[in-house]
Amino acid sequence: MCDPVGVRTAYKCRAYPDQAQQQALVRTFGCIRVVWNQTLAARHARYAAQTTGTSYAETDRALTVMKKNPALAYLNEVSCVPLQQALRHQHQAFVAFFAKRARRPRFKSRRSRQAAHYTRSAFAMREGVLRLAKMAAPIRFVWSWPDVDVTALDPGMVIVAREPDGRWYVTFTIDAEPLELLPQTGRAVGVDLGVRDFAVTSDEERIPNPRCLERRARSLARYQRRLARCRKGSANRAKAAVRVARAHRKVRNARADFLHRASTRLVRQNDVIIIEDLAVANMVKNRRLARAISGCGWGEFRRQLEYKCQRHGRRLIVIDRWYPSSKTCSACGNLLAELSLDTRHWTCPSCGTRHDRDINAAKNILAAGLAVSACGADVRHSGSSRVRSAVKQEPRPVTAGIPVLQGGE
């Protein structure tokens, strides 16, 4: 078992700013969009003309020039911290893009989610009362964690956001103290993720797929048709857009609730959890399965497992995505040459064992993860003699307590 380490924690609450505060925040959102979009356009123009990138320091100096421009004098009416944070986020977005970890940064729209990030110099949090820079009155919010004392909260950053459905939220990010270790269970489990069943474990437990998006697909399509029939720029179109956003929010919240319950139960019941390194971005290119795969939330599920294992001293092992878990017999180790996706049960031609595809894959994932964990063995690509190292080779540092094992991509 691994020792727990401190991790950054975020508490997201409903916020209820008054009318004056809403106007001030909307003005701040608008200034953030102007700074972001003009800086992004300048980056593109400079790269097209000179094939030269732009550093954060250069964008920061450009912000000073913007604020001196009489046409952009309204930038001085809001706090400068959210504007500078927008430039930092844009710089980080380009770093991630050039590292092939994210897509190219895009221009911001007023119709999407709006957010402003405030660092310690732009807010005050005392006795559970939040005050933002250039706002006289505190912002009212509802605290939803009775076991956490809000009066003792010392956030490092505050994020105020307005969702497309009109709801306001405030998020507090803090560096949490290490939590106590969960009691040892002496159990390890392999987890095979799927579409028909969200997950199947090596203990032959099936976690049903709630299909949150499919259950609300008809009502969502109805709202979207009504939105399409409205005239652009009309008040009815704005109301219809809110209804569509509200329907999406219900799907998103239902999926998040399911993922949190499933991941928390796995972390509490097992000392070691082993999963596959799924290439979700490549899998959704299949247009027949794209919506079903996207609705599962496999990437979010893995993210939750990572930070929960880190927080509670559990161990998460991620095996190579090329490991043939479905085509390998968990009884004798025989490897099939081919296994179609619609074949849910198969019989091993070597030992005659009858396999359920998903349960067999989960058992193989468990065995591969334990073997790698015990002796550092390598996992071979199916049909290839090249050996992929079981140790994470990316330049990003591995978080303590979460050994991530994956092969080449």
Side-chain angles (χ1 to χ4, degrees):
M1 180 175 293
C2 306
D3 295 332
V5 296
V7 295
R8 173 160 289 187
T9 303
Y11 295 97
K12 185 177 180 180
C13 315
R14 284 289 302 277
Y16 299 92
D18 57 31
Q19 193 64 31
Q21 292 171 342
Q22 290 185 22
Q23 293 176 358
L25 289 170
V26 168
R27 188 161 52 250
T28 302
F29 296 154
C31 293
I32 291 173
R33 287 196 307 272
V34 169
V35 170
W36 175 282
N37 292 341
Q38 291 203 7
T39 303
L40 185 58
R43 282 178 181 269
H44 290 172
R46 182 180 184 184
Y47 188 83
Q50 307 175 12
T51 319
T52 304
T54 305
S55 66
Y56 166 73
E58 291 173 327
T59 62
D60 198 25
R61 290 193 292 269
L63 175 60
T64 304
V65 176
M66 284 186 207
K67 297 174 74 172
K68 293 180 180 179
N69 185 349
L72 300 177
Y74 53 84
L75 295 179
N76 297 283
E77 299 176 2
V78 302
S79 173
C80 64
V81 172
L83 307 183
Q84 293 171 336
Q85 287 298 115
L87 297 179
R88 290 190 179 95
H89 293 161
Q90 188 175 112
H91 174 72
Q92 294 169 359
F94 271 100
V95 170
F97 168 70
F98 288 118
K100 298 183 179 180
R101 290 185 278 109
R103 61 186 178 185
R104 181 186 294 273
R106 298 182 297 179
F107 292 96
K108 289 185 179 293
S109 169
R110 68 176 63 191
R111 288 183 290 273
S112 60
R113 177 180 180 270
Q114 307 294 313
H117 294 66
Y118 294 84
T119 57
R120 292 181 185 271
S121 60
F123 73 89
M125 183 77 174
R126 296 185 182 88
E127 300 297 328
V129 178
L130 173 64
R131 296 178 182 274
L132 298 179
K134 297 200 174 184
M135 290 190 190
I139 290 186
R140 178 174 170 262
F141 62 91
V142 176
W143 188 251
S144 306
W145 290 269
D147 55 336
V148 178
D149 185 11
V150 65
T151 60
L153 205 65
D154 184 23
M157 179 179 290
V158 170
I159 306 170
V160 181
R162 187 190 64 183
E163 297 292 339
D165 61 357
R167 288 192 173 188
W168 292 82
Y169 295 91
V170 58
T171 302
F172 304 94
T173 63
I174 63 171
D175 294 325
E177 295 295 329
L179 301 185
E180 295 181 2
L181 292 173
L182 290 174
Q184 294 189 20
T185 63
R187 297 180 56 186
V189 67
V191 181
D192 178 61
L193 301 178
V195 175
R196 179 173 301 180
D197 293 307
F198 174 78
V200 178
T201 70
S202 54
D203 300 330
E204 302 188 9
E205 176 190 0
R206 295 181 181 273
I207 302 177
N209 188 351
R211 303 183 185 276
C212 302
L213 179 59
E214 294 182 13
R215 281 166 29 192
R216 297 182 179 271
R218 292 185 61 185
S219 62
L220 180 58
R222 184 172 64 253
Y223 292 139
Q224 289 174 328
R225 286 195 299 269
R226 292 176 181 174
L227 173 63
R229 287 195 294 264
C230 294
R231 181 170 55 85
K232 291 186 177 181
S234 64
N236 285 337
R237 185 177 179 86
K239 295 176 183 177
V242 170
R243 295 190 187 97
V244 172
R246 188 180 300 121
H248 278 293
R249 185 197 72 223
K250 292 179 179 179
V251 174
R252 184 171 61 251
N253 290 348
R255 183 190 299 119
D257 179 72
F258 164 75
L259 295 177
H260 275 293
R261 291 177 185 272
S263 58
T264 298
R265 185 161 61 86
L266 284 175
V267 170
R268 287 178 176 174
Q269 294 178 353
N270 302 278
D271 293 337
V272 180
I273 303 172
I274 306 169
I275 61 175
E276 284 184 300
D277 177 30
L278 297 177
V280 180
N282 296 333
M283 297 171 71
V284 297
K285 293 179 181 179
N286 184 337
R287 62 185 180 86
R288 296 182 178 179
L289 297 175
R291 188 170 71 170
I293 292 174
S294 300
C296 290
W298 293 337
E300 174 64 13
F301 182 69
R302 172 174 170 175
R303 186 193 71 84
Q304 292 182 9
L305 285 177
E306 287 179 348
Y307 84 78
K308 290 178 183 180
C309 287
Q310 181 182 4
R311 177 180 296 178
H312 297 293
R314 301 306 201 195
R315 189 176 187 191
L316 178 67
I317 300 177
V318 182
I319 66 171
D320 190 354
R321 68 181 57 170
W322 299 111
Y323 179 69
S325 57
S326 298
K327 300 190 295 183
T328 304
C329 176
S330 58
C332 67
N334 181 60
L335 177 62
L336 297 180
E338 295 292 338
L339 183 65
S340 60
L341 187 60
D342 58 351
T343 302
R344 310 313 303 176
H345 296 83
W346 59 279
T347 302
C348 177
S350 177
C351 64
T353 304
R354 182 70 174 171
H355 289 297
D356 177 281
R357 179 193 184 103
D358 298 329
I359 295 177
N360 176 69
K363 291 180 179 179
N364 285 326
I365 291 172
L366 173 64
L370 292 180
V372 169
S373 175
C375 61
D378 292 316
V379 180
R380 293 181 181 269
H381 190 300
S382 176
S384 171
S385 60
R386 186 174 60 155
V387 177
R388 283 173 165 78
S389 174
V391 181
K392 185 176 179 70
Q393 298 294 331
E394 296 181 6
R396 293 178 294 174
V398 179
T399 306
I402 308 180
V404 180
L405 312 171
Q406 70 187 134
E409 303 191 7

